[in-house]
Amino acid sequence: MNANTYVNFCTSDIIQKIDIKNVQPNMPKKKKMDSEVDKNLFGRDTLPLEKDDIERFCFRTYQKNSTKFEVVHGFLPQKLVDIINSGVGLGKRDDIYSYNGVSFSKESIPSLSQVKPIEVKAENNIISFGSYQYFKYVSKNGQEYYMHSGATGFGAAFSEILRGVEYSREAFRYIDFWNQTMVVTGPDLPGEEFSRSEVKSYLEDAGIQPGFFTVNMKEKSNVLFYSQGKYASTVIRKKDYDSMYNNLTKSGNGLTANLLCGYEPGSVIKVGGKEYVLSESHTLDLPYGADIYDMEFPKIPL
């Protein structure tokens, strides 16, 4: 028997041989429970899953006439591991899991180390987490955690959770941070639970330089601005940057009047550490991409 092609399992005294090539990732229409699986595994809920949560959200009741289950030793093929990590519901009875006629124990689930996931790093200020791909996060103490990108973001690989791997709070904060960068509306990014130094650490560890950067997940993409300013958010949405930029460089709007009207034309204002002279129309001739959230103003005489 080719261990890479077949998974054997026993129900009562009947031995069946399942061809994994016939196990397809196309599933029936998702039930509410499947949505809960996505919510908990792919970044929407950033707290570690407890055992009761896994029992409640991730497994359908597995019904069989037989009461005896015996799983043959050996590892599941990677194709089935990929299906498990795609967020499908699994059957569970005692300590035996099942999917599409294949039964297995957690001891049969191979570590994702065999697929050699790598850390995700930015290239040209673009970081891509892909779709249904594996990667790893390395914590400050050198511990590796394997992640999986899915339909709604990315999170801890479900197969690793089934194996009993405990993800640290640090790993779940990493997941939460990058999933928050894909939020296109709402308050500042990321949320206030992340300190300025922590945000900079995530960005710099990923190889992202100050200025515009792009985050890709599946077919979605979000362009953001990494600012070095001390008083505004470190990460700003592009649409918010564009609005601020237009207000500073074009006359005839209320924000420019409120922000710059107190300074005399000819005043020198620093933007991103560079000096710019205020025009007669109280605007600044700024290049697009300047760090407009890092500004220093001259003192206004009393």
Side-chain angles (χ1 to χ4, degrees):
M1 182 188 71
N2 186 337
N4 293 324
T5 305
Y6 298 101
V7 171
N8 289 343
F9 69 98
C10 301
T11 56
S12 296
D13 297 321
I14 302 174
I15 298 179
Q16 297 179 329
K17 188 164 63 175
I18 304 299
D19 188 344
I20 288 300
K21 290 185 292 185
N22 293 326
V23 178
Q24 299 296 327
N26 297 325
M27 296 297 294
K29 184 177 181 181
K30 282 197 170 187
K31 299 180 180 180
K32 181 179 179 181
M33 181 166 46
D34 288 316
S35 298
E36 295 288 355
V37 173
D38 288 341
K39 178 180 178 181
N40 281 274
L41 295 181
F42 297 121
R44 300 295 180 83
D45 183 350
T46 61
L47 296 178
L49 290 177
E50 301 293 339
K51 181 178 180 181
D52 290 344
D53 295 326
I54 295 176
E55 295 287 342
R56 184 158 56 96
F57 289 131
C58 303
F59 305 114
R60 297 189 180 95
T61 302
Y62 183 56
Q63 301 292 343
K64 274 280 187 178
N65 294 329
S66 170
T67 60
K68 180 180 178 182
F69 293 86
E70 183 178 345
V71 178
V72 175
H73 294 295
F75 288 120
L76 300 179
Q78 187 59 44
K79 181 175 182 179
L80 184 51
V81 175
D82 295 341
I83 293 172
I84 292 171
N85 283 317
S86 70
V88 300
L90 297 177
K92 187 174 187 292
R93 185 172 183 178
D94 298 325
D95 292 327
I96 301 299
Y97 306 108
S98 66
Y99 168 74
N100 201 22
V102 178
S103 298
F104 53 92
S105 68
K106 70 177 185 179
E107 287 77 19
S108 295
I109 304 173
S111 167
L112 289 178
S113 60
Q114 67 176 2
V115 298
K116 297 180 173 59
I118 62 174
E119 293 181 84
V120 177
K121 299 294 184 181
E123 295 184 9
N124 299 319
N125 259 23
I126 300 173
I127 186 167
S128 299
F129 293 93
S131 175
Y132 299 104
Q133 295 180 359
Y134 298 112
F135 56 94
K136 68 181 179 181
Y137 167 68
V138 182
S139 66
K140 294 178 181 178
N141 64 3
Q143 178 68 41
E144 293 186 357
Y145 297 95
Y146 299 123
M147 309 292 183
H148 180 262
S149 59
T152 59
F154 78 87
F158 191 29
S159 64
E160 293 291 290
I161 294 176
L162 294 184
R163 291 179 59 243
V165 175
E166 294 185 3
Y167 284 71
S168 67
R169 182 170 181 80
E170 180 185 346
F172 277 97
R173 284 181 68 78
Y174 173 85
I175 293 169
D176 190 24
F177 174 84
W178 287 109
N179 280 319
Q180 282 195 34
T181 64
M182 296 302 294
V183 178
V184 296
T185 59
D188 294 338
L189 294 175
E192 60 183 12
E193 67 269 26
F194 295 96
S195 67
R196 186 179 301 275
S197 62
E198 193 175 12
V199 172
K200 288 186 175 182
S201 178
Y202 283 125
L203 297 175
E204 291 170 3
D205 287 348
I208 291 175
Q209 303 298 316
F212 286 112
F213 68 98
T214 303
V215 182
N216 294 325
M217 289 187 190
K218 203 180 177 183
E219 66 273 1
K220 295 182 178 180
S221 182
N222 199 19
V223 178
L224 304 159
F225 188 85
Y226 171 17
S227 172
Q228 297 284 70
K230 298 178 181 179
Y231 306 108
S233 297
T234 306
V235 176
I236 297 101
R237 295 183 181 91
K238 181 179 181 297
K239 65 177 183 178
D240 295 330
Y241 177 96
D242 289 346
S243 177
M244 181 70 165
Y245 177 81
N246 288 333
N247 286 327
L248 292 172
T249 59
K250 297 179 181 179
S251 60
N253 60 76
L255 180 59
T256 296
N258 291 331
L259 188 60
L260 301 176
C261 69
Y263 300 98
E264 294 292 333
S267 297
V268 175
I269 298 174
K270 285 187 177 181
V271 179
K274 297 181 179 181
E275 295 183 344
Y276 296 90
V277 178
L278 190 65
S279 71
E280 291 291 335
S281 58
H282 286 84
T283 60
L284 295 172
D285 184 14
L286 299 172
Y288 185 71
D291 193 345
I292 55 178
Y293 295 88
D294 180 17
M295 301 181 68
E296 296 179 40
F297 298 93
K299 292 182 179 180
I300 300 178
L302 296 178

